[in-house]
Amino acid sequence: MSTAKKEYKRITVKSLIDMKKNGEKISMLTAYDYTMAKIVDGAGIDVILVGDSASNVMAGHETTLPITLDQMIYHASSVIRAIDRCLVVVDLPFGTYQGNSRQALDSAIRIMKESGGHAVKLEGGAEIEQSISRILTAGIPVMGHLGLTPQSIYKFGTYTVRAKEEEEAQKLKEDALLLEQLGCFALVLEKVPAKLAKEVAESLSIPVIGIGAGNGVDGQVLVTHDMLGMTHEFNPRFLRRYLDLYKEMTGAFESYITDVKSGDFPNDKEQY
Ligand code: KIV
């Protein structure tokens, strides 16, 4: 396996498969708006995920279930206007693809046409096989998502680690293989034991991108607002915080309020 890092002018689904072949890890972060996407893309990220976590992070919902297709299209089109290099993957929200492959295709086409996104992501394995196949027939790249799938939170009951038991681990391995065979270009594995995730990544030729799935996979994804420390109430073990923006921003807002109240802002140079 070569470790030389190839330069990619523009990341495509094929670039990600090449990265796996070359042993280069894939970096992925979420973004939901123009300004954040511009910074994340400019920093050199490989993939931006317009995640349905926008439902939590941007809209303040407790789960990802309420976000609509129209809202995902709004977020994705804002991101697309910002980026020059990265691949943009857009989540199909809850209720827009499960059980009905025609509806799944229509939803994916709306995302591609109206937002300009490059690929879609769907949660689930065998139970959504027909939806995935039908979307793929339209030439739309599909990323899978297994393990903790937040759209099924009411079935799971909690956000704890998935597939710790043999039966669920076996189903996950079968689903991962199925997603590869159907033609998915990559797969997210969320909150599963590191050993299982490594085994899955090694058994597939498509990249496996982990979140809370250890270091034996082909890439990592985090929610940007979490890794920047803006959402300080969320503290899973897998989360590495690169900044404490909650503290930094609070300090900046407090200084601004003080300056306005005291009449210090604006000063002579800050007016016309
Ligand atoms: O919606 C999202 O942000 C996601 C990631 C956590 C993988 O699906």
Side-chain angles (χ1 to χ4, degrees), residues 30-133:
T30 59
Y32 321 106
D33 65 61
Y34 176 88
T35 306
M36 186 71 87
K38 190 120 201 120
I39 301 171
V40 174
D41 182 58
I45 203 77
D46 296 317
V47 186
I48 285 183
L49 172 66
V50 184
D52 59 359
S53 50
S55 180
N56 313 102
V57 176
M58 303 304 282
H61 292 296
E62 203 177 313
T63 72
T64 57
L65 276 64
I67 199 159
T68 65
L69 190 57
D70 284 340
Q71 288 165 339
M72 288 303 297
I73 290 168
Y74 167 78
H75 288 299
S77 53
S78 307
V79 166
I80 285 290
R81 283 191 287 274
I83 61 104
D84 289 322
R85 175 183 176 272
C86 69
L87 184 83
V88 177
V89 180
V90 185
D91 266 339
L92 280 188
F94 176 69
T96 66
Y97 61 92
Q98 293 97 339
N100 177 343
S101 67
R102 175 74 231 187
Q103 180 204 28
L105 178 62
D106 290 345
S107 304
I109 287 177
R110 279 203 61 203
I111 296 257
M112 303 299 280
K113 247 188 194 308
E114 296 177 39
S115 79
H118 308 139
V120 295
K121 176 163 83 59
L122 283 71
E123 294 182 6
E127 51 291 327
I128 56 157
E129 178 176 347
Q130 286 175 7
S131 295
I132 293 174
S133 297

Side-chain angles (χ1 to χ4, degrees), residues 15-239:
S15 323
L16 301 185
I17 292 168
D18 284 349
M19 284 182 192
K20 170 155 182 154
K21 274 196 203 131
N22 296 333
E24 181 183 345
K25 297 263 187 181
I26 296 163
S27 60
M28 172 157 131
L29 283 170
T30 59
Y32 321 106
D33 65 61
Y34 176 88
T35 306
M36 186 71 87
K38 190 120 201 120
I39 301 171
V40 174
D41 182 58
I45 203 77
D46 296 317
V47 186
I48 285 183
L49 172 66
V50 184
D52 59 359
S53 50
S55 180
N56 313 102
V57 176
M58 303 304 282
H61 292 296
E62 203 177 313
T63 72
T64 57
L65 276 64
I67 199 159
T68 65
L69 190 57
D70 284 340
Q71 288 165 339
M72 288 303 297
I73 290 168
Y74 167 78
H75 288 299
S77 53
S78 307
V79 166
I80 285 290
R81 283 191 287 274
I83 61 104
D84 289 322
R85 175 183 176 272
C86 69
L87 184 83
V88 177
V89 180
V90 185
D91 266 339
L92 280 188
F94 176 69
T96 66
Y97 61 92
Q98 293 97 339
N100 177 343
S101 67
R102 175 74 231 187
Q103 180 204 28
L105 178 62
D106 290 345
S107 304
I109 287 177
R110 279 203 61 203
I111 296 257
M112 303 299 280
K113 247 188 194 308
E114 296 177 39
S115 79
H118 308 139
V120 295
K121 176 163 83 59
L122 283 71
E123 294 182 6
E127 51 291 327
I128 56 157
E129 178 176 347
Q130 286 175 7
S131 295
I132 293 174
S133 297
R134 190 124 185 216
I135 294 171
L136 286 165
T137 60
I140 301 173
V142 175
M143 176 181 272
H145 184 157
L146 298 172
L148 177 65
T149 46
Q151 292 179 11
S152 306
I153 187 58
Y154 290 114
K155 184 174 90 182
F156 299 146
T158 69
Y159 286 99
T160 51
V161 181
R162 304 303 313 172
K164 286 206 307 205
E165 305 302 328
E166 183 49 35
E167 197 182 332
E168 194 179 339
Q170 188 53 38
K171 158 117 173 74
L172 188 143
K173 285 190 253 183
E174 286 164 15
D175 278 342
L177 193 60
L178 175 68
L179 293 183
E180 171 168 273
Q181 284 165 351
L182 290 175
C184 290
F185 72 91
L187 171 63
V188 166
L189 272 190
E190 180 165 353
K191 244 183 159 181
V192 298
K195 187 165 169 285
L196 172 65
K198 183 169 189 287
E199 199 185 318
V200 171
E202 283 173 356
S203 71
L204 300 183
S205 55
I206 58 170
V208 174
I209 300 176
I211 173 164
N215 205 10
V217 290
D218 308 301
Q220 299 292 329
V221 54
L222 285 176
V223 170
T224 297
H225 291 66
D226 296 336
M227 62 84 84
L228 292 177
M230 295 171 89
T231 51
H232 68 153
E233 69 284 358
F234 181 62
N235 282 307
R237 186 204 294 203
F238 67 76
L239 176 59

